[in-house]
Every structure is written in structure tokens, then in C-alpha cells.
Amino acid sequence: MDTSASAAPSGSQQLENVKRLPIMISLIIGAFFSILNETLLGNAIPLLVNELGVTAPTLQWLSTGYMLVVAVLIPASALLVQWFTTRQVFIGAMTFFTVGTIVCAIAPGFSVLLVGRLIQAVGTGLMMPVLMNTILLLYPPEKRGAAMGTIGLVFMFAPAIGPTLSGIILDSLEWRWLFFIVLPFAIFSIIFAFIYLKNLSTPTKPKVDVPSIILSTLGFGGIVYGFSSSFEGWDNPKVYGMITIGVISLLLFIVRQLKLKEPLLDLRAFKFPMFTLTSILLIIMMMTMFSTMSLLPFLFQGALGLTVYASGLIMLPGSLLNGLISPITGKLFDKFGPRALIIPGTIVLAIVMWFFTQVTVDTSKITFIILHICLMVAISAIMMPAQTNGLNQLPPRYYPHGTAILNTLSQVAGAIGVAFFISIMASGQKSFLAQSADPTSPLQQTEALISGVHNAFVIGFAFAVLAVIVAFFTKRAQTTKE
């Protein structure tokens, strides 16, 4: 038997007697606030430039560093959930997150604030795979749709609501309250987990392959670091150098994993076709979601002259619906299967992305609200049903690896998506102004920004069309037994 693949379930009889609701509450509370922090600081960057006396590119490391640590830790999570119990990993993750939150809240300057963010990220990096792996152990395939839909509140609603929530908080309170408000929930989650969270697996303690950990860190870390630093220019040696190191390390990592009997991340999960299709859809969705969350504030604040608070309110209805609809789409998945949700979802996504290529400075706020709502509903109809379907095809021994792979792809795709689409926007702006008779004119600069956003959304539309094509190859997966 291959002991590398999974922390073995504690026994079907034991799992049948486990009370699922308290476990779900423990996981959702902790994961929601840890993942929320990925986007919570976005609106605070301009404020922190003045408060902390550092430049915007330097402050960007509060987000870049967070994503970097998460991307590096998630691949190793497949190993950690096989070495420690569910309870140990969850409480450990939330302890890291809580300590990091305290450090951030009392930070006297940028350096300490960055350290706190990195400690928070350790908790988030451990949390995300544990949440999905626990769902796979706790629910049979025919009930996973509803359960995965519920945690869609975490994976999609939390990062989507981050910019809006931070805008509301910063409108009346100082930036430290972004952390003080989160702290009680983090502490409550630890206490609740101590009381109610049960172990669902027995650690198998597979062999630790140190070269794999090093290659994984260099590979995923290099790619995320490189793309996240692209605001310094694609011709910057640090940018293309780190991406090159990341790609080479990742290729070596893949080759090594396929040769090892006990891999750190078992890439043989990709031999299951629905899991592979899920991975492709997930990459497209994360690039679309994170890039849109980055492009729209530029459009709202730069071209339309809206405040941070107003732009957050425009994105609020879509963000709320995105989370609220996830449990519904999960139940529909259980009843009708993936095609009934994913195909219409990708078609709506493509239509919305096309409409975004047509917006102008005269486009009404209600139009933007409707487009954003449709976008977030479409993503909700695609994301969790696709992930559930892909993971359903995996044998149980692949669960830790499948969840780690999908979560790693989410982080890498998010980082690449933001950098890629913003660079397209910036390139479009530069090209427009180069042909302008008066590039210093405020009106021309506004038109240049809109032109750049249009270019970015044209590429986004192309990705959405690709998602439609992939969706038609999706079918309901049956659990494979090995």
C-alpha cells in the first residue's frame, strides 16, 4: 500500500458518528477570516503610504509577501496533513494567524507590520488545504456539493468582500482596526476548535523529501515573487530572473515527483481527466476574479473619479451574492451535476467580460453593479461545482494532494492574473498616450486609462471563451477506487 498519499480516514463507522456541523463551523470561521486577509489591505495602501512613510511599491509587499508565503506553504500541506491530525493542523494554523494579527495590530512601523503579515500567511497557507481535505473525508461524494458550496463562502466570498469591507472600516476608523476587528473571531475559532473539532484522520507520517521541499519553494515562490514584482517592469532582471528560476525549479520539481514513490505532491492526480479539467477552469476563474478585482478599482477611482468607499459599495452586491449563492449552487450540483451549472456559468462569464470591453466614462453606476453581480454569480456557478467534481474523481489516498494542487494553482493563478492584466492595462495606457496630441490633458489620461482597461478585458474575454470550450468537456465524475 502507498502510505505517501493520505492521512488515512479514521474509519467509516467513526466518521458516521461524527457531528459534522460543529466541525464545519470551526473550519469556516477560522478559514473565512484568514483568507479575508488576502485582500483586506488593498484599499489601505494609499493611506499607509502616509501613515508609515514608505513608498507604494514597498507597501505592496504587505500583499505580495502574504501571497508568497501562502504559495510556498500550500504544496507542503499535503505532507503536513499526513504527519499531523486535523485538529493539530487547524489549531496550529489559527494560532499562527492569531499571533500574526496581534503583531500587525500593534506594529509601530512597516517592518513589524510586514513580519505580522508573513506570520498570518503561515496560518492561511496551512488552513486552506485542511478545510477542503476535511470536507472530502467528512462527506460522501453524493453530498459534497452542498458542503463544498458552503465553504464557497470562504474561498470566494472572503477575498471578494475584502476590498469593500476595508473601505467601510477605513472610512471611519484607523488602519489598525483592520486587524483588531479580526482578532476576536480568530481567538473564538481556536477556543471553538478546542471544544468541538474532532480528528478525522490518522497520520501515516510518510518520508520527508527535502529536495522536493526546496524545489517547491523555489518554483512556486519564484513564480509568485516574479509576477508580483512586475510593477517594476518586465525588463527588470529581478522580475524575469525570479520567474526563470521559478519555472526551472518547478520543472525539476515535477520530474522528481513523478519518480518518487512517496512524493511531496503527487502529480499523478492529473491522470484523472475531470481533475485536470477542473485545474484548467480554476486557473481561468482565479485569474479572472483577482484581475477584475484589481482592474475595476482603477476604472472606478482613476477614470470615474469615485472614492474608495464608493467603489467598494459598487462591488458590494456582487460580492454578497457570490457568497450567498455558493451553498445553493452546491445543492444544485448534487441534484443536477456539474454541466447544468458550469456550462451556463462560463457562457454568462464570457458575455459579461465582453460587456466590460465596451464600458466608457459615461457608463452608469447601475450598469457596473449589474455587470459585477452577473460576473460574481457566474464565478460562483463555476468554481465550487468544478472543484467538487474534479476532487470527486480522485481515490481517497489522493485527497491531500488534490486539495493542495488546487489551492496552489489558485494562489499562483491569482498572482499571475493580477500582474498580467495590470501590465496589459498599463501598456494600453502608454500606447494611447504615445499617440495623443496632448498626453498631459486630464481628459486624455482618462481616455488612456479606459483604453488600457478595455485591452485587459479583451484578453479576459478570450480566457472566458476558453472556459466555455473546456466546460463542454465536463461530465459528472465517479469516484475512482485504486
Side-chain angles (χ1 to χ4, degrees), residues 44-46 48-49 52 54-63 110 113:
I45 296 297
L48 291 174
V49 167
L52 302 179
V54 295
T55 63
T58 300
L59 272 176
Q60 192 62 39
W61 277 103
L62 295 176
S63 298
F110 172 76
L113 180 59

Side-chain angles (χ1 to χ4, degrees), residues 79-92:
L79 178 67
L80 292 173
V81 298
Q82 296 170 78
W83 267 84
F84 302 98
T85 65
T86 309
R87 180 182 171 91
Q88 289 171 333
V89 177
F90 178 84
I91 293 176

